[in-house]
Amino acid sequence: MNTIGHFQYVCMKTNRFLSNADCSPLKKMQRLMHTEHNNLRKPSSRVEPVPARRASLACVAALLLAGCSGDTHLSFLDPQGPVASAQRWHFVEALAVLVVFVAIPVFAITPWILWRYRYGAKSSRYTPNWNFYGPLEIASWAGPVVIVVLLAIIVWRDTHALDPYKPLASDQPALRVQVIGYDWKWLFIYPDQGIASIGVFALPAGRPVAMQLTSATVMQSLHIPALGSQIYAMGGMVTQLHLQADRPGRSLGENNMYNGNGFHQQRFTAVAMTPEGFDAWASEVRSSGIALNEQILKVISQRSTRAELNAALSQPRSPDGNFYFSGATAALFPAVVMATMGGTMVAPAKAPQEPANTAAPAARKPAAPATEKVQ
Amino acid sequence: MNYEAIKHPGLNLGSAHGRDHDAAEGMVFGFWVFLMSDAILFSMVFATYVTSVGATAGGPGPHELYDIKSVFIETLLLLASSFTFGMASLALKYKHGTARLIGWLAVTLVLGVAFLGFELHDFASMFSKGAVPSRSGFLSAFFDLVPLHGLHVTGGSIWLICLVGQIAMYGVDTQVKLGLMRLALFWHFLDIVWIAIFSVVYLAGLT
Amino acid sequence: MIEQTRDGGDAATRKLEEQKEFHSYVWGIALALMLTLAPFALVHWAAMPGLSLLSVIGAFALVQMVVHFRFFLHIGFWQKREDLQLILFSTLLLVIMVAGTIWIMASLAMRMTLPAQP
Amino acid sequence: MNLSDILQQPLGRMSPESLPFWQMLHDPTEGNVINGVIATGAASMVVIGAIIAVALITKYRKWGVLWSEWLTSPDHKKIGIMYVVLAFVMLTRALIEAALMRSQQAFGLGGGFLSPEHFAQLFSTHGTIMIFFVAMPFLTGVINYAMPLQIGARDVSFPVLNSISLGLTAAGAALVMISLCIGKFSTGGWFGYPPYTEASFSPGVGPDYWIWALTLASLASTLSGINFAVTIYKERAPGMKLMYMPLFTWTALCTSIIMIFAMPPLTVATAQLALDRYLGFHYFTNEFGGNMMHFVNLFWLFGHPEVYILVLPSFGVYSQVISTFSGKALFGYRSMVMATTAIAILSFGVWLHHFFTMGQNANINAVFGIASMLIGIPTGVKVYDWMWTMFRGRVRFTVPLIYSIGFIYLFVLGGITGILLANPTIDYQVHNTVFLVAHFHNVAIPGALFGLLAGYHFWFPKAFGFRLNERLGMVSAICWIFGFMLAFFPLYALGLMGLPRRSVAYNEPSYVPLEIAAFLGAILLTVALVTLVVQLWVSIKHRDENRVFVGDPWDGRSLEWSVSAPPPEYNFAVIPVVTGRDAFTIAKEAGNAYQLPDTYADIEVPKNSAMGPVLGAIGLALAFGLVWHIWWMVILFFAAAVVTMIVHGFARDTNRIVPAQQVRQEHRRWFDAVAAAKAISREDERKSANQGLAEQALPGVPA
Ligand code: HEA
Ligand code: HEA
Ligand code: CUA
Ligand SMILES: [Cu+2]
């Protein structure tokens, strides 16, 4: 199987279905350079000797995939979906209240007092023992109370409206995605499509996405600012997140919870595509992705950045820094959750230490399908 | 109307002790504050336990491990020791002489040590059933909470021995009195913690 | 402190005082024994259904703690002094912390189990 | 751990590889060399610094003085000063680390010069040190110094315990310093979340250093808290009702209460983590029913109240400073007291706002979000009452007042961003981005540290008998304020642009200008710190021109100003009787501020005690043994600790008498100085004419 070829193709598709068309060559170059930079920065030396031919192909693929990144949306202030734009609105509301009613009064009155009642201003009134005046006291308490009540109302409203567990209202069924946090990459599984990806999180624009998250390692936090909330992913546990992109485009995705040396490289691109584009992409990946088997999973679960992962695979499989998998099943995600809980999950290859206590051989065996849920 | 209401509440030396009684004021209050800090410590360990009861990870749970009879005996021992310490406090306060004071303290110590013995026996039998702390989150939490109390009792016992030693050396002087008052508070406080333990851990675990 | 010298000086008063205190200890141990025996018995003979048994155990424990404070630690409500305030304040914080923890952890536990896979 | 292990590994898991230059020598890649050189440089600074200190003390034969006058002294004033010195030493390191981090990020587009691991160590040690070994010792020191004087007490309730607290804090600090030289500190940040810090993910000594340093520090803080609270409850001068206490004492009381009740959750969290790491328990592991969310919950049960421990004493300082330099009683004293206690109590009910994003339900998030905002109410009352205190006053722009004004402005901004973070909806976006980093520096630096700096300038003349150089103080204050703005405001923008905290590098070119601005800010802050050091040096050099032995250079209002500067070891020759708030002002107005008593009495003070330094040393050795699994050391020093405490219990005759004769002499000497001094007006308070006697002439213009 001509892996590289497949990948080029997949990338091309990914790209084509992006209707975002403003890609200036300069920006392409920029993006390309950064991808490259990324690849060269990783600490492990295993990855350095990328054969030249492959490298150039990698460039092509990277260009194709990342080319129109001209505008990778970084922030919820530049929202790409309903959740982020509601959050922006909430932010603006709260900020406005605070600036107008808290900051401006203090900032305006303080200098006035300081000037009027400076030591040199002998003519201003001086009342050395004046230490109580009821109305002023009451106002000092009442002002903040009113502000807090105001804010509390919007907090109550929006916290419930934007609970990340709450499915988004839509006439379309949500796309199911299962996310597993590995050290230092996210694996996105599309159980209904039978595919998975690392480095790219593709989603159809206009359709809600229902995510379940867990971690195969330490605590992590999935965050795509331009689309919506962040949420922790933890071993043995499942958290949920609902997002939606309104229009095609790419957004920055990252991990916000420090988890070791590769932390800052645990980024990905959320690529919103047209619905048809998404379907075509999915079927492309299904037919040409790497088969997601035991062995590959094992490599993924090592502590590695994407570049290191690429090098660790028996042959490098990712010309563009991303990975696409076929044969992903719905069973994988629960298996990881259970494994972490029951005690069979491998800690990173570097580490495993026997628990100090060996008196309980029974403890080494995986727990029976854990009905005792970890709280 | 008695002087306790006038001086600090809680355990008291009484005005017959003059300057010692005054000296106790700050000391005893300080010790109360420490106890309250300790209470928060225990409460956090309790919270860990309560929220980890289900986390047996396929290992043994309360029903397989707890032995109600043993716990009952431990409870009685501790209760009795609280009473005997009370008697020691009275002997101190009403000046019944060093011999009686030391006598009651000794009884208290014996009861405390017996309690520890039973507790250790409990732990040993749990271990023999494979219920070691590293077996599960639940057992970790158990072996945090109950032995923490046991450690406190151990510390109290050592303190008690030291105080008896000080009595032997210096007689019942100010520092011994202050020490005994604080130890009394400590001992009764541990009793209260034990009430929470037998209720929340053992009895609730066995229902 | 006039009261002090008077109390302290008078041997008869002191005797009376001692009697009272002794009785208080006896009361304490008697009540504590009862309050211990009852829940143990209930659990041992499984005399009640689970949930109500739990609340009964809890109630007995609380009462017994109050008994200990009252009879062994000599803390009473008539004293308007630091120790009582301190204890009540500590209890307040303790309740906030423990109740909050349980509330939070319970919610998390409920929301983080693996949903049934379709 | 059995006997043969102990014998076979007398040094536990220590090996040459634990040295900072090992990796550089054995695998000299460019990155390793850069990081190795920096690490080795830092380690040598510690070692050389220690050697120089030892050499100087030996050269000037100061060991005896150091031991008998300082280390073993139970005097709260000396202990307070030693705390501040400790804070300053640790600050130097933490500040260098901060500067390194800012430079790294300024060049962090796609790389930078530090390895990710090195960077992780920087933010972890920086955070840990700043919180536990700079801010905490600093405020504990200031409280120690000023509070007993303010309430008219001879000392704290438990002077030896006070010295033990200092010993344990210093031991914790020393442990962190040792981690520079041998082995590595944790990379888990200042809150060290598991499972990352569990043995399976961080098998090295790092988290163990963190655990034991925090354990020592938190133990010390609990003891300090108890000590202060009891002192305030039991040692007040006759007549000083709670409602007569100066506001700084009130904030000290509330801080102590928080220390007493907030440290236990931290102790539980670190102890459980230690059990996980040492004995294979499963509190927070991924496996066997462990649950890391417990740790998060426990840590913030401590962590949130902790930030109010940091800020409350500074609030107290601002209250004293603003009222003193406005020549006016504090406005709304009752409100201020209520607000302070309200903050202390509320601080126990908001911890969840540090993990809104963990997945609990919306009710919980909303309740805790609103509870967090509630803290804005009492805080706001305080801000307004400070403003009303200056209103209709005569505001003198001294250095402490400049800090206070900088504080009012910047803290309101920081508080506002805190309120924004308290909106769960917003927090879902900015949690763990550098927006959060900007928030907490914005409250911690102007809130806590400016206050302590104001207090440093305010009380320095009291503690050492001469004033600090005013002009350099001003320069430094201005640098702090503007340096702060330049260093941290850009981080708000960066956070909103999606930069996660703790990122060693990033890929967005658009971050660069902001990062550079922040870098320049950090430089300005360093200038501020250097100015501060120069100021101290210059002031010491010119100390004779700036003596204020009489003791009241600022026309102070509370009792600490009523005694000589520096005060005698027993503080008050005669315990004052208090009849109202601002006790010293009342006395000055009544014209009886300086009076000779008819008789003097013997004064009982505690004898010196070696408990503090000895227990500190034992604690350090014990912790070190634990970190490196040197079991013989652990056993030995654990036993030593127990024995020491038992022996201490057997000690008698722990007090000594200062004879009335000596008290009389010292008091007379001071009194003569008062009589000889010229009372000066507030115009001249920053000139050398100021000998510490304030003119009472200011005619109050009637309201
Ligand atoms: C009190 C707390 C405190 C203080 C003062 C500071 C001060 C500074 N901090 Fe700190 N910082 C933290 C607490 C603090 N920090 C914490 C908790 C973290 C999180 C760690 C983690 O991630 O886990 C952090 C993290 C942190 C980061 C990492 C951000 C990230 O995660 O990406 C950075 C990056 O540059 C930084 C920078 C700075 C700078 C430039 C300063 C200073 O240069 C600012 C100037 C202030 C001073 C220099 C101190 C002033 C004090 C005095 C002047 C006292 C004088 C003494 C006497 C007179 C005796 N800090
Ligand atoms: C000195 C330290 C200090 C102080 C005083 C504060 C004060 C406040 N903090 Fe801050 N905070 C920290 C130190 C501090 N914080 C640290 C170190 C962290 C991060 C730890 C880490 O993750 O490493 C943090 C993190 C933090 C978070 C968690 C964010 C996250 O992890 O995502 C939140 C969320 O609610 C928060 C909120 C607040 C609030 C509401 C206040 C309030 O107390 C502020 C109140 C003040 C005002 C509001 C201004 C003055 C008021 C008025 C003028 C009156 C009118 C105003 C109103 C009525 C609103 N803080
Ligand atoms: Cu391809 Cu734009
Ligand atoms: Cu907080």
Side-chain angles (χ1 to χ4, degrees):
Chain A
M1 160 172 108
N2 178 350
T3 335
I4 303 293
H6 280 308
F7 271 97
Q8 260 179 357
Y9 191 63
V10 174
C11 304
M12 227 145 52
K13 291 266 169 143
T14 313
N15 230 14
R16 178 151 18 99
F17 298 120
L18 254 170
S19 66
N20 183 347
D22 73 319
C23 47
S24 73
L26 190 85
K27 293 209 167 129
K28 284 184 192 173
M29 283 312 294
Q30 220 178 34
R31 170 54 53 165
L32 178 61
M33 271 161 55
H34 293 146
T35 318
E36 279 296 279
H37 207 141
N38 238 352
N39 287 344
L40 295 179
R41 245 196 67 68
K42 75 270 124 181
S44 161
S45 53
R46 275 188 306 186
V47 202
E48 300 305 350
V50 181
R53 185 183 57 87
R54 208 167 273 149
S56 71
L57 279 172
C59 289
V60 177
L63 188 66
L64 288 172
L65 175 66
C68 26
S69 75
D71 292 315
T72 297
H73 304 281
L74 297 180
S75 169
F76 73 109
L77 299 180
D78 169 21
Q80 299 301 301
V83 179
S85 57
Q87 284 169 325
R88 177 175 69 168
W89 177 235
H90 184 125
F91 179 75
V92 171
E93 263 179 336
L95 189 63
V97 170
L98 289 167
V99 167
V100 172
F101 297 110
V102 180
I104 291 181
V106 174
F107 289 5
I109 298 175
T110 307
W112 174 77
I113 294 179
L114 286 173
W115 177 251
R116 181 82 206 279
Y117 297 101
R118 69 193 186 280
Y119 184 72
K122 300 276 184 204
S123 61
S124 304
R125 196 134 79 128
Y126 176 43
T127 56
N129 294 318
W130 184 67
N131 65 7
F132 184 80
Y133 176 57
L136 199 51
E137 286 289 281
I138 291 169
S140 301
W141 283 94
V145 169
V146 172
I147 300 168
V148 167
V149 168
L150 225 72
L151 289 171
I153 292 168
I154 65 173
V155 164
W156 191 265
R157 182 194 72 196
D158 285 0
T159 307
H160 285 85
L162 296 178
D163 180 1
Y165 275 48
K166 204 169 115 178
L168 301 175
S170 171
D171 47 7
Q172 299 191 46
L175 172 75
R176 283 203 305 151
V177 179
Q178 294 165 327
V179 187
I180 305 176
Y182 287 97
D183 275 335
W184 301 307
K185 56 254 156 194
W186 296 101
L187 176 67
F188 299 95
I189 303 168
Y190 301 78
D192 299 327
Q193 281 71 22
I195 58 171
S197 63
I198 286 178
V200 166
F201 166 48
L203 69 164
R207 181 177 165 195
V209 180
M211 300 168 116
Q212 293 179 350
L213 302 91
T214 191
S215 165
T217 156
V218 304
M219 216 184 217
Q220 308 190 353
S221 184
L222 181 94
H223 191 199
I224 308 168
L227 294 187
S229 303
Q230 67 180 297
I231 193 95
Y232 289 177
M234 294 161 286
M237 305 174 202
V238 181
T239 45
Q240 298 175 31
L241 179 61
H242 291 85
L243 295 177
Q244 179 178 326
D246 282 339
R247 51 191 165 274
R250 34 184 81 241
S251 306
L252 169 74
E254 56 201 8
N255 167 22
N256 272 15
M257 178 65 83
Y258 186 78
N259 61 341
N261 288 345
F263 163 71
H264 63 291
Q265 307 209 41
Q266 193 169 352
R267 297 204 186 84
F268 59 92
T269 316
V271 184
M273 308 170 173
T274 58
E276 315 80 62
F278 178 76
D279 292 340
W281 175 82
S283 64
E284 197 49 51
V285 173
R286 202 159 35 242
S287 60
S288 57
I290 310 165
L292 190 59
N293 54 28
E294 249 340 76
Q295 191 206 343
I296 297 267
L297 268 173
K298 207 160 169 186
V299 183
I300 292 177
S301 70
Q302 306 289 309
R303 264 182 171 173
S304 59
T305 60
R306 272 185 280 146
E308 287 161 346
L309 170 62
N310 194 24
L313 292 172
S314 52
Q315 49 168 311
R317 295 301 219 9
S318 158
D320 62 346
N322 305 316
F323 302 84
Y324 306 89
F325 303 99
S326 60
T329 67
L332 179 57
F333 183 82
V336 168
V337 176
M338 291 300 191
T340 318
M341 227 172 47
T344 48
M345 188 63 211
V346 255
K350 279 184 174 176
Q353 277 197 340
E354 286 296 301
N357 192 303
T358 43
R364 302 269 76 220
K365 296 202 196 83
T371 34
E372 307 79 5
K373 176 57 203 114
V374 187
Q375 330 232 346
Chain B
M1 189 69 228
N2 58 37
Y3 40 80
E4 275 147 51
I6 298 162
K7 269 299 177 185
H8 50 92
L11 296 186
N12 253 283
L13 278 175
S15 55
H17 291 260
R19 254 193 96 193
D20 299 346
H21 183 54
D22 298 336
E25 169 121 22
M27 266 298 180
V28 172
F29 183 62
F31 200 73
W32 267 111
V33 179
F34 162 76
L35 287 183
M36 292 301 110
S37 185
D38 211 30
I40 301 283
L41 189 93
F42 269 112
S43 77
M44 288 345 297
V45 181
F46 269 106
T48 311
Y49 176 83
V50 170
T51 49
S52 306
V53 197
T56 48
H63 280 281
E64 292 102 86
L65 298 174
Y66 297 162
D67 173 3
I68 192 167
K69 291 201 191 80
S70 173
V71 178
F72 187 62
I73 297 172
E74 285 158 29
T75 308
L76 291 185
L77 286 170
L78 217 50
L79 262 180
S81 80
S82 241
F83 182 74
T84 56
F85 210 128
M87 293 306 103
S89 301
L90 288 183
L92 171 70
K93 181 169 174 183
Y94 296 102
K95 302 187 175 171
H96 290 312
T98 315
R100 231 162 111 182
L101 175 60
I102 293 189
W104 281 120
L105 288 177
V107 177
T108 309
L109 181 65
V110 169
L111 290 169
V113 172
F115 166 84
L116 287 172
F118 271 90
E119 191 162 63
L120 284 177
H121 176 260
D122 278 2
F123 294 163
S125 84
M126 284 176 78
F127 271 55
S128 70
K129 291 179 194 154
V132 293
S134 54
R135 176 60 190 86
S136 69
F138 157 68
L139 283 165
S140 296
F142 175 88
F143 280 107
D144 197 7
L145 176 54
V146 183
L148 182 67
H149 175 268
L151 275 178
H152 274 72
V153 175
T154 313
S157 304
I158 296 175
W159 191 3
L160 203 157
I161 296 170
C162 291
L163 284 173
V164 173
Q166 289 180 31
I167 297 178
M169 261 173 91
Y170 305 107
V172 186
D173 68 353
T174 313
Q175 293 208 36
V176 168
K177 287 180 191 170
L178 296 187
L180 281 174
M181 288 181 70
R182 283 177 292 161
L183 180 56
L185 292 180
F186 190 62
W187 203 267
H188 296 310
F189 166 77
L190 288 182
D191 224 9
I192 294 177
V193 175
W194 182 255
I195 297 171
I197 290 185
F198 80 65
S199 305
V200 173
V201 177
Y202 291 109
L203 293 185
L206 288 173
T207 41
Chain C
M1 304 250 150
I2 311 155
E3 211 115 5
Q4 235 183 69
T5 29
R6 197 183 56 209
D7 274 303
D10 185 339
T13 332
R14 279 170 52 73
K15 189 80 201 154
L16 219 70
E17 197 56 47
E18 183 179 355
Q19 289 278 307
K20 233 175 80 190
E21 264 190 67
F22 177 71
H23 286 147
S24 144
Y25 277 108
V26 175
W27 265 109
I29 186 87
L31 283 173
L33 274 176
M34 275 162 52
L35 290 164
T36 305
L37 266 172
F40 270 95
L42 286 177
V43 172
H44 189 60
W45 285 290
M48 272 172 134
L51 202 62
S52 47
L53 185 50
L54 277 184
S55 25
V56 170
I57 294 173
F60 272 114
L62 285 181
V63 176
Q64 195 178 351
M65 287 184 191
V66 174
V67 164
H68 278 239
F69 271 114
R70 167 70 187 80
F71 293 100
F72 293 158
L73 286 158
H74 305 265
I75 296 291
F77 277 99
W78 61 89
Q79 290 148 329
K80 293 259 177 299
R81 290 283 300 266
E82 288 98 350
D83 302 53
L84 180 61
Q85 288 166 11
L86 176 74
I87 291 166
L88 292 179
F89 180 72
S90 311
T91 313
L92 170 74
L93 293 185
L94 196 148
V95 168
I96 293 179
M97 289 174 163
V98 172
T101 299
I102 292 174
W103 190 29
I104 294 166
M105 297 314 287
S107 164
L108 285 165
M110 252 163 56
R111 283 160 60 105
M112 284 189 197
T113 41
L114 190 62
Q117 297 295 317
Chain D
M1 179 186 90
N2 50 36
L3 195 61
S4 69
D5 283 355
I6 296 180
L7 293 178
Q8 272 163 22
Q9 290 190 309
L11 289 183
R13 39 176 174 166
M14 214 188 290
S15 75
E17 283 162 50
S18 324
L19 294 169
F21 42 81
W22 183 264
Q23 203 189 7
M24 163 172 85
L25 297 183
H26 284 254
D27 180 18
T29 61
E30 188 191 344
N32 280 345
V33 170
I34 296 182
N35 289 290
V37 166
I38 296 178
T40 314
S44 10
M45 263 162 65
V46 175
V47 175
I48 294 174
I51 292 177
I52 291 182
V54 169
L56 284 179
I57 298 171
T58 313
K59 177 158 179 239
Y60 293 103
R61 297 169 182 279
K62 292 286 184 201
W63 282 112
V65 178
L66 188 67
W67 180 257
S68 60
E69 296 283 310
W70 290 92
L71 296 181
T72 59
S73 167
D75 182 345
H76 71 95
K77 298 184 286 302
K78 288 183 174 161
I79 290 176
I81 292 170
M82 285 188 280
Y83 263 116
V84 175
V85 171
L86 175 70
F88 198 78
V89 171
M90 298 308 287
L91 171 73
T92 315
R93 170 167 172 201
L95 184 62
I96 294 175
E97 290 175 332
L100 262 177
M101 281 192 287
R102 290 262 53 94
S103 347
Q104 160 66 25
Q105 288 199 332
F107 303 107
L109 182 63
F113 55 93
L114 291 177
S115 72
E117 173 159 20
H118 199 146
F119 185 78
Q121 244 141 56
L122 288 176
F123 66 67
S124 305
T125 42
H126 166 81
T128 309
I129 291 179
M130 279 295 192
I131 301 278
F132 293 99
F133 300 110
V134 176
M136 292 287 276
F138 203 161
L139 67 92
T140 311
V142 174
I143 294 178
N144 242 317
Y145 194 90
M147 179 270 287
L149 286 167
Q150 284 199 330
I151 61 172
R154 290 247 148 82
D155 204 329
V156 294
S157 287
F158 311 114
V160 176
L161 190 69
N162 202 8
S163 156
I164 294 175
S165 297
L166 172 63
L168 294 177
T169 312
L175 197 65
V176 182
M177 290 314 245
I178 290 175
S179 77
L180 257 186
C181 307
I182 175 146
K184 284 178 176 154
F185 198 74
S186 171
T187 53
W190 80 284
F191 44 69
Y193 280 180
Y196 180 71
T197 46
E198 289 283 0
S200 47
F201 295 98
S202 298
V205 292
D208 301 322
Y209 267 124
W210 178 81
I211 288 170
W212 301 116
L214 256 64
T215 304
L216 288 167
S218 67
L219 197 62
S221 294
T222 316
L223 297 179
S224 292
I226 294 175
N227 211 342
F228 294 152
V230 176
T231 307
I232 296 174
Y233 259 100
K234 299 286 179 189
E235 312 286 336
R236 272 168 287 139
M240 183 173 278
K241 303 188 213 158
L242 285 176
M243 275 300 168
Y244 286 173
M245 296 195 312
L247 217 84
F248 177 74
T249 301
W250 264 109
T251 57
L253 177 61
C254 290
T255 299
S256 316
I257 288 173
I258 304 181
M259 285 181 181
I260 294 161
F261 293 103
M263 291 295 160
L266 176 67
T267 309
V268 171
T270 49
Q272 292 181 340
L273 185 59
L275 287 171
D276 273 5
R277 287 180 62 85
Y278 284 80
L279 297 174
F281 281 44
H282 292 287
Y283 294 109
F284 314 125
T285 56
N286 273 345
E287 306 89 4
F288 297 109
N291 183 350
M292 66 292 289
M293 295 188 295
H294 277 309
F295 184 93
V296 176
N297 183 68
L298 282 172
F299 186 89
W300 292 113
L301 267 166
F302 145 79
H304 184 83
E306 164 70 25
V307 306
Y308 293 97
I309 296 181
L310 301 185
V311 89
L312 282 182
S314 295
F315 283 176
V317 175
Y318 293 127
S319 300
Q320 308 289 161
V321 162
I322 290 177
S323 142
T324 304
F325 292 110
S326 304
K328 189 160 161 289
L330 190 69
F331 185 86
Y333 177 88
R334 252 163 218 287
S335 285
M336 285 284 208
V337 171
M338 270 161 62
T340 310
T341 34
I343 292 175
I345 292 171
L346 283 175
S347 77
F348 285 96
V350 304
W351 73 94
L352 179 126
H353 69 209
H354 292 274
F355 50 96
F356 281 141
T357 53
M358 200 151 77
Q360 57 285 345
N361 67 39
N363 282 334
I364 296 182
N365 274 354
V367 165
F368 277 89
I370 293 170
S372 308
M373 293 181 171
L374 288 182
I375 299 189
I377 299 172
T379 315
V381 170
K382 294 187 80 111
V383 170
Y384 298 135
D385 280 346
W386 286 316
M387 288 163 59
W388 311 148
T389 301
M390 296 187 290
F391 181 68
R392 293 185 182 165
R394 283 279 161 81
V395 184
R396 302 163 355 236
F397 293 93
T398 54
V399 176
L401 196 91
I402 298 291
Y403 277 114
S404 307
I405 294 166
F407 155 75
I408 289 182
Y409 267 77
L410 296 176
F411 186 78
V412 166
L413 285 177
I416 285 177
T417 58
I419 301 290
L420 287 174
L421 287 167
N423 289 256
T425 322
I426 299 174
D427 189 67
Y428 272 116
Q429 276 293 348
V430 289
H431 173 60
N432 275 356
T433 65
V434 293
F435 185 92
L436 169 63
V437 174
H439 157 69
F440 67 70
H441 285 92
N442 199 347
V443 275
I445 294 176
L449 284 167
F450 281 12
L452 295 172
L453 277 175
Y456 164 75
H457 284 85
F458 188 51
W459 281 307
F460 185 93
K462 173 57 52 183
F464 296 101
F466 57 93
R467 286 178 299 109
L468 286 168
N469 183 296
E470 193 75 17
R471 184 163 310 160
L472 285 169
M474 206 64 92
V475 172
S476 161
I478 302 285
C479 286
W480 282 119
I481 292 169
F482 288 97
F484 167 79
M485 298 202 288
L486 196 54
F488 290 100
F489 287 172
L491 298 194
Y492 282 121
L494 284 169
L496 292 174
M497 287 159 71
L499 177 61
R501 71 191 292 192
R502 302 173 174 170
S503 301
V504 60
Y506 45 88
N507 289 341
E508 296 299 330
S510 52
Y511 293 165
V512 174
L514 292 164
E515 289 283 2
I516 301 237
F519 173 61
L520 296 177
I523 293 183
L524 202 52
L525 285 170
T526 316
V527 172
L529 184 71
V530 172
T531 315
L532 212 61
V533 175
V534 174
Q535 180 206 31
L536 183 61
W537 186 68
V538 169
S539 309
I540 292 178
K541 235 177 114 183
H542 297 282
R543 60 185 175 281
D544 286 331
E545 296 141 47
N546 296 316
R547 294 264 183 222
V548 288
F549 178 61
V550 172
D552 181 24
W554 316 124
D555 193 10
R557 310 180 68 85
S558 38
L559 288 175
E560 75 269 30
W561 304 108
S562 71
V563 293
S564 65
E569 66 165 325
Y570 41 83
N571 293 351
F572 298 92
V574 182
I575 297 287
V577 175
V578 176
T579 56
R581 249 168 248 162
D582 288 340
F584 189 45
T585 299
I586 294 179
K588 284 192 278 192
E589 281 171 357
N592 56 10
Y594 301 98
Q595 276 185 328
L596 279 182
D598 302 333
T599 56
Y600 292 88
D602 288 353
I603 294 176
E604 201 174 347
V605 296
K607 279 185 188 162
N608 278 19
S609 161
M611 280 301 279
V614 168
L615 276 183
I618 290 176
L620 177 59
L622 180 58
F624 188 80
L626 280 166
V627 168
W628 288 100
H629 297 189
I630 309 176
W631 302 119
W632 61 263
M633 203 164 163
V634 173
I635 296 166
L636 180 69
F637 284 98
F638 181 74
V642 174
V643 170
T644 313
M645 284 187 284
I646 290 178
V647 169
H648 179 66
F650 277 82
R652 293 294 186 274
D653 290 327
T654 47
N655 287 345
R656 71 188 160 84
I657 301 288
V658 181
Q661 184 57 29
Q662 183 190 341
V663 177
R664 179 193 160 88
Q665 243 170 31
E666 287 173 0
H667 198 237
R668 288 290 162 108
R669 186 169 82 87
W670 171 67
F671 201 82
D672 293 342
V674 173
K678 177 169 167 292
I680 49 117
S681 76
R682 292 304 95 203
E683 253 127 292
D684 297 330
E685 70 181 343
R686 281 170 278 181
K687 303 189 180 137
S688 38
N690 186 351
Q691 291 172 285
L693 187 63
E695 188 180 79
Q696 286 309 300
L698 271 187
V701 182

